[in-house]
Amino acid sequence: MSARKVLFSVLGIAVAGLGLIGARPWLAAQISNGDASATTIALGKTLYTKHCAICHGANLEGQRDWKSPLASGRMPAPPHDASGHTWHHPDGVLFRITKEGPATVVGGGYKSDMRGFGNIMSDDDIRAVIAFIKSTWPEQEREYQAEMSRREREKTQ
C-alpha cells in the first residue's frame, strides 16, 4: 500500500473517530473548487479579507507560532495556505468550523478565539470563502482535500 493511501486511511479513521462524519445538515455544504466560478472565488476573497484576514492573515499565512498556545491557553489562528492544516479537512468540516466555530467541532470544552460566522455570513458566503481558500492551494493539497471530501460524502450517503 502506498504511503498516500495509508495517510488517507489513517486520517479518514481519525476524522470518523472524532465524530465529525455523519449525516448532518452541514454536509450539504460540499464545496467543489472545480465548480467554483471566478465570481464565487472573487466574492470569497472579498469576504475573507473582510472577516478572516485580521486573524488568519492577508496572505492566508496565519498568526506567528500558530502551533504554540497563546498566553490565554488558546491556539493562534492557523494559516489557510498550504503550510497549514486546513487542506487536511473535508468540506463539511471546514464549513461547520466556519459557520459554528471550532469549539463545536472539536468538542471536549475546546476554547477558541474564533467565533462562528453563521450569523454574519450566509451559507453561500461561507462556501465562497472556502472556495477562495481552496483556490490558493497547490494541486497536491487540492487533490488530497478533494479525496477527504469525497470520502466524507460516501460515508454519509
Side-chain angles (χ1 to χ4, degrees):
M1 187 181 304
S2 73
R4 188 172 181 158
K5 287 182 181 176
V6 170
L7 182 59
F8 281 139
S9 297
V10 169
L11 287 173
I13 292 168
V15 170
L18 288 172
L20 299 179
I21 303 294
R24 301 194 179 158
W26 51 268
L27 287 178
Q30 300 306 319
I31 301 111
S32 170
N33 229 29
D35 296 337
S37 68
T39 302
T40 298
I41 292 171
L43 172 63
K45 182 176 183 178
T46 298
L47 292 167
Y48 175 89
T49 300
K50 181 177 180 179
H51 298 295
C52 313
I54 191 162
C55 295
H56 291 281
N59 297 309
L60 296 98
E61 72 275 14
Q63 293 177 328
R64 192 169 27 118
D65 298 323
W66 65 274
K67 293 182 181 179
S68 301
L70 299 167
S72 66
R74 296 176 179 194
M75 298 302 290
H80 289 313
D81 62 14
S83 72
H85 60 79
T86 307
W87 57 272
H88 295 179
H89 301 294
D91 290 340
V93 172
L94 296 177
F95 181 85
R96 189 169 176 215
I97 287 171
T98 307
K99 183 171 181 155
E100 300 173 14
T104 60
V105 174
V106 176
Y110 181 79
K111 301 287 184 198
S112 174
D113 288 332
M114 182 179 159
R115 61 192 165 133
F117 285 86
N119 60 353
I120 296 169
M121 291 192 282
S122 71
D123 288 359
D124 285 342
D125 287 347
I126 292 170
R127 287 185 195 98
V129 169
I130 295 170
F132 160 66
I133 292 169
K134 290 168 62 169
S135 77
T136 69
W137 298 335
E139 184 177 346
Q140 183 174 346
E141 284 76 6
R142 284 193 319 269
E143 288 176 2
Y144 177 90
Q145 196 276 335
E147 177 65 14
M148 292 297 293
S149 296
R150 183 189 65 76
R151 290 175 182 225
E152 175 187 55
R153 286 188 302 273
E154 285 178 357
K155 291 181 187 264
T156 62
Q157 293 177 353

